[in-house]
Amino acid sequence: MIVSIVFCFLMSLVITFFVLAGNGFSLISIFYGIFLLILYSGMTFSETRKKGSSSIFRRIFLITFAVLFCISFIGTLFDERGSMAITNEAMASSELPFCHIAIPQVLLPFLITNSIIFPARVTGHYTSIASMLGLWLIFTLTIGRGWCGWVCFYGGWDEAFSHASKKKRLNLLSRNKEIRDFQFGFFFFIVLACIGTMSAVYCSWFCPFKLVTEFNPMTTIPGLIGGVLFIGLFLGLAVILPLVTKRRTQCSTLCPFGAFASLTDRVSIFKMEIDTEKCIGCLKCANACPFGALDIETIRQKKGAPELTCAKCGECVSVCPANAISYQFRFASKCKIPAPSSKFEKVIRSFLDPANLFRFVAFTFGTVMSGSFAVDSISRILASL
């Protein structure tokens, strides 16, 4: 209880600085700050009663963040351009917003040719290439691919539709390995295509989230083909398949950043671990994993950890009846630590528990990222009423 109170106090400081102060302590920012604190408090205190019960609060935040982000993003586009279509002026002046999905597309071409293939500001803006690369480096070293499970403002759409249906109508558990292989194969194809064409191929032709952000004008044949593609991909991968599979299908099949984050996750300080001695082999975790990171073989072969694509969302923790799955520090999980000898030592260990620290860091990322977007979106909604 003491540890939960301390974490909630620390989160209130984060919210005060990045949400309230960042928005001039406006009434809307105070409202959103209270909403965030309620979510984090619910997440923290629920864990003291039942391990893994914080998942519902993570879902609420991620879905809310995704919807509010798109409202703010689209509203800003209309303010600046009068539409969601990408203008020639924005392309020519390199003023397109740069997002995390473009990172793996620009890195290798830049290293090979010393050229930036995405028409965005290099510095001087919150969506500049430099700011997004700096953010990527920080979360890679901390939460790793946990970004996809906790912070991604696109993944919230998959998250919403994957939980909109109570019944799973299509079970892909037996195809998890093939799906992962496809995602990594597609990732390498995109990287090579970006090098060959010196353009952000995924952004131009495959990104389904153009339907809720910005897109090329559909006034030409290529523009029309691109429009049909991203509308179909959004409806298929972010709406229909999540509804019938109860999985994050876009995130686990097509997103190149998801594959890239899986590869770089090995340097993050947190990981998920399966206690093979506690595991009873019920496969509830494998059926619940929205990223296909747990296979039948993962459990039966007692691998002790999810597969490469784990996004640390915690859904497996919430359904495990044996409490066999947990957050751990990557480089210290095998260390044997003696039982605490006093109440004070027990409190300190609870404060340094990797699950508590991971949730705090991940939610802090979400708070910082959503502070300006969410307040702007709520302001726009209220202004339209």
Side-chain angles (χ1 to χ4, degrees), residues 310-359:
C310 174
K312 305 168 190 172
C313 64
E315 293 292 336
C316 55
V317 179
S318 66
V319 299
C320 180
N323 289 329
I325 309 175
S326 61
Y327 291 92
Q328 296 292 339
F329 294 120
R330 185 171 300 278
F331 306 109
S333 60
K334 298 300 181 181
C335 298
K336 292 185 178 181
I337 303 174
S341 57
S342 65
K343 288 185 177 180
F344 177 75
E345 185 179 348
K346 185 177 180 180
V347 169
I348 295 300
R349 287 196 188 179
S350 182
F351 185 78
L352 297 177
D353 178 75
N356 291 333
L357 289 175
F358 177 84
R359 283 190 294 270

Side-chain angles (χ1 to χ4, degrees), residues 11 14 18 40 358-369:
M11 184 54 64
V14 172
F18 288 101
Y40 183 75
F358 177 84
R359 283 190 294 270
F360 180 81
V361 174
F363 201 85
T364 295
F365 265 112
T367 297
V368 174
M369 291 291 295

Side-chain angles (χ1 to χ4, degrees), residues 21-312:
N23 291 281
F25 290 92
S26 66
L27 186 61
I28 294 174
S29 70
I30 294 173
F31 167 78
Y32 183 62
I34 292 173
F35 168 74
L36 289 176
L37 188 58
I38 290 173
L39 277 186
Y40 183 75
S41 298
M43 177 186 299
T44 303
F45 284 100
S46 67
E47 285 288 329
T48 62
R49 296 189 297 272
K50 183 181 183 299
K51 186 179 178 181
S53 58
S54 62
S55 289
I56 181 63
F57 300 99
R58 179 196 63 83
R59 289 181 220 146
I60 293 171
F61 171 72
L62 192 61
I63 294 168
T64 302
F65 184 16
V67 173
L68 293 180
F69 168 79
C70 289
I71 291 173
S72 176
F73 192 94
I74 294 171
T76 302
L77 291 180
F78 272 92
D79 291 343
E80 295 178 351
R81 307 175 186 167
S83 75
M84 292 167 63
I86 298 172
T87 63
N88 292 329
E89 291 79 8
M91 289 282 289
S93 58
S94 296
E95 292 183 351
L96 296 189
F98 186 81
C99 81
H100 58 286
I101 294 180
I103 291 175
Q105 300 175 73
V106 304
L107 277 181
L108 199 55
F110 176 76
L111 293 174
I112 294 174
T113 67
N114 202 32
S115 299
I116 297 174
I117 65 174
F118 193 96
R121 299 177 180 91
V122 177
T123 58
H125 195 264
Y126 67 92
T127 60
S128 68
I129 295 173
S131 63
M132 287 305 299
L133 286 175
L135 180 65
W136 165 72
L137 181 60
I138 295 171
F139 76 70
T140 296
L141 295 173
T142 52
I143 63 174
R145 201 187 170 180
W147 169 277
C148 303
W150 288 77
V151 189
C152 180
F153 36 79
Y154 294 137
W157 291 97
D158 282 36
E159 189 80 29
F161 288 107
S162 67
H163 286 90
S165 175
K166 292 184 178 180
K167 185 178 179 182
K168 184 185 294 187
R169 293 174 174 81
L170 179 62
N171 195 332
L172 298 177
L173 178 57
S174 62
R175 299 294 180 184
N176 278 355
K177 186 179 185 304
E178 289 88 345
I179 292 172
R180 290 196 302 271
D181 290 343
F182 174 83
Q183 183 179 26
F184 286 108
F186 183 73
F187 165 70
F188 289 117
F189 160 74
I190 288 295
V191 172
L192 292 174
C194 289
I195 296 172
T197 63
M198 290 304 292
S199 64
V201 174
Y202 180 84
C203 298
S204 299
W205 295 101
F206 298 104
C207 181
F209 296 108
K210 287 182 174 295
L211 186 62
V212 289
T213 53
E214 60 179 352
F215 50 81
N216 292 316
M218 289 184 279
T219 55
T220 63
I221 296 299
L224 184 60
I225 294 173
V228 172
L229 279 173
F230 71 69
I231 292 172
L233 288 170
F234 182 84
L235 293 177
L237 292 177
V239 179
I240 297 172
L241 280 174
L243 277 171
V244 299
T245 64
K246 294 187 67 63
R247 288 175 53 154
R248 299 264 297 266
T249 49
Q250 150 62 20
C251 305
S252 58
T253 58
L254 208 67
C255 180
F257 183 82
F260 182 57
S262 295
L263 297 175
T264 59
D265 185 72
R266 298 308 181 189
V267 301
S268 70
I269 62 176
F270 296 102
K271 69 172 184 175
M272 302 300 295
E273 189 173 277
I274 303 172
D275 188 331
T276 55
E277 294 184 0
K278 288 184 178 180
C279 177
I280 59 175
C282 66
L283 297 179
K284 288 184 177 180
C285 58
N287 279 295
C289 179
F291 293 90
L294 285 162
D295 297 339
I296 297 173
E297 291 76 17
T298 308
I299 304 303
R300 290 181 178 172
Q301 294 177 14
K302 298 183 180 298
K303 292 185 178 181
E307 304 297 333
L308 192 63
T309 55
C310 174
K312 305 168 190 172

